[in-house]
Amino acid sequence: MTTKKNDKPMLQDEVKGLKPVKAKRKVEVDENGVEQIEAIGVKVLEKGTKSLSDQAPFCPDHLDQDFNPKADKAGSKTPIFIDRNTFMQQEGSRTIFGADNRTVYNSTAYPWGCVGRVETALGVGSGAMIGPRHLLTCAHVIDFKADGTTGWVKFSPMYYNGPNATFGTANGIKTYYKYKVKGSDGINSTEQQYDYVVVVLDRNVGNQTGWFGAKAYTDSWDGLASWTHAGYPMDKTGAQRPTYQNSIALDGDAFTTDAHEAMYHQGDIWPGQSGGPFWGYWGSTPYVVAVQSWQNASNNGASGGSDLVDLVNKARAEYP
């Protein structure tokens, strides 16, 4: 089904009322590995083109489903090598607005096990399963090469002080992108709208973790405190353990279309969380609408829109 303007996500106060769902069975898993990745550019939707169908989420019947995982107090000790007051001053970036509302968690329940740590030659980021073997993350963590390929990508779902013993690590074999975003050069206003890629992995890790659905964001949702973000911050956990934050409001850029737009927010963000998903719930099912991209002195920013759903559809259709 496609996004309708009156089809609103649940508010976080409503999500808090949802009860956890127990798994129906248990399963054990293997793991593999591989290398080179082809980069595949996908044409942006023409102006006025209707957004493609939303992608449905999937929760395996061997996983519990949880909506508010407990805080992991043992993993919440902040690394001593980060000084928040001076670390980002040169860029004029703030990223934490008021109290820090991020919570460290350790849960393989759905959908939390869908989120994981992304590693590339450019560093560490965050990402989420968006299909059976399809990873959604930011474009600026991808090492785009001049010959049309990219560098290696590793994804570890529910990485916690190392890869999860059950989920393991998967490797990228194809990368679908709308725009080659170069984070090292600074992300300009155009790139802020397209800072996402879908990486096809070398195995169907989503059969173990499940995956998020994908919806096209609409500005009619601006201001709704409906969104959850999760990722791997350098400051709070040294990018070794994931954090999440609920009740984030997004504000789509009024000067760009719903097809591809930057979304401003004041969720608590730090380097390492780039590529982490923003999702909301329709009933008990979670849909991603954007990924974390950038920050400045006034706002943090995410990228999304119907082009993101278009990219997911393309990758999943060509590499099921």
Side-chain angles (χ1 to χ4, degrees):
M1 70 188 228
T2 55
T3 301
K4 297 178 182 178
K5 292 194 174 182
N6 60 356
D7 180 23
K8 293 182 179 180
M10 298 172 68
L11 297 175
Q12 284 295 326
D13 285 345
E14 298 174 293
V15 175
K16 289 177 182 178
L18 296 176
K19 295 181 179 180
V21 179
K22 289 294 183 183
K24 295 179 180 178
R25 66 181 179 89
K26 293 183 179 180
V27 74
E28 295 186 3
V29 208
D30 301 333
E31 92 175 74
N32 295 304
V34 117
E35 298 181 4
Q36 191 77 27
I37 308 171
E38 179 186 2
I40 303 171
V42 177
K43 187 179 179 181
V44 174
L45 288 173
E46 298 293 342
K47 185 176 181 181
T49 301
K50 293 181 180 179
S51 62
L52 299 178
S53 296
D54 300 339
Q55 280 286 357
F58 169 67
C59 176
D61 60 9
H62 63 266
L63 289 180
D64 294 341
Q65 185 173 9
D66 196 2
F67 304 95
N68 297 283
K70 294 180 180 178
D72 176 39
K73 295 181 180 179
S76 297
K77 187 176 180 180
T78 301
I80 60 174
F81 58 84
I82 292 292
D83 179 0
R84 281 194 195 143
N85 294 324
T86 60
F87 182 70
M88 301 287 282
Q89 267 191 359
Q90 285 185 334
E91 290 83 0
S93 297
R94 199 166 168 189
T95 79
I96 306 295
F97 298 91
D100 187 347
N101 293 304
R102 295 170 297 174
T103 299
V104 180
Y105 70 94
N106 184 7
S107 173
T108 57
Y110 180 81
W112 306 96
C114 299
V115 180
R117 192 169 98 148
V118 175
E119 298 174 64
T120 74
L122 299 183
V124 175
S126 303
M129 293 302 296
I130 202 73
R133 56 170 177 157
H134 307 86
L135 163 67
L136 178 66
T137 187
C138 60
H140 76 253
V141 79
I142 300 298
D143 184 17
F144 288 103
K145 305 288 189 182
D147 64 0
T149 67
T150 76
W152 56 271
V153 177
K154 290 185 179 180
F155 179 60
S156 302
M158 197 47 233
Y159 184 103
Y160 185 98
N161 294 338
N164 181 271
T166 298
F167 300 151
T169 294
N171 298 278
I173 58 171
K174 303 283 180 183
T175 299
Y176 282 77
Y177 66 93
K178 292 282 187 179
Y179 201 96
K180 291 182 179 180
V181 177
K182 298 284 188 179
S184 59
D185 301 334
I187 299 176
N188 63 39
S189 59
T190 300
E191 292 169 339
Q192 289 171 8
Q193 303 168 42
Y194 297 103
D195 193 13
Y196 47 79
V197 295
V198 177
V199 178
V200 181
L201 301 173
D202 61 348
R203 63 189 181 90
N204 286 12
V205 66
N207 291 346
Q208 285 77 49
T209 63
W211 59 81
F212 286 99
K215 273 186 183 287
Y217 187 83
T218 169
D219 285 340
S220 64
W221 299 337
D222 285 356
L224 294 177
S226 297
W227 311 105
T228 296
H229 171 77
Y232 286 78
M234 289 296 299
D235 66 324
K236 199 170 182 71
T237 69
Q240 292 295 313
R241 298 172 296 282
T243 68
Y244 77 94
Q245 182 181 353
N246 290 330
S247 302
I248 299 172
L250 296 175
D251 182 14
D253 185 3
F255 297 101
T256 53
T257 72
D258 283 353
H260 42 268
E261 65 178 340
M263 300 171 198
Y264 310 111
H265 69 89
Q266 292 198 341
D268 297 323
I269 298 297
W270 204 263
Q273 290 174 246
S274 289
F278 285 84
W279 75 88
Y281 289 92
W282 279 258
S284 60
T285 53
Y287 288 84
V288 171
V289 297
V291 301
Q292 172 57 28
S293 172
W294 53 272
Q295 66 280 322
N296 60 33
S298 304
N299 287 293
N300 295 321
S303 298
S306 59
D307 279 353
L308 183 152
V309 181
D310 177 40
L311 196 68
V312 173
N313 287 340
K314 184 79 169 175
R316 289 190 55 177
E318 295 185 358
Y319 288 88

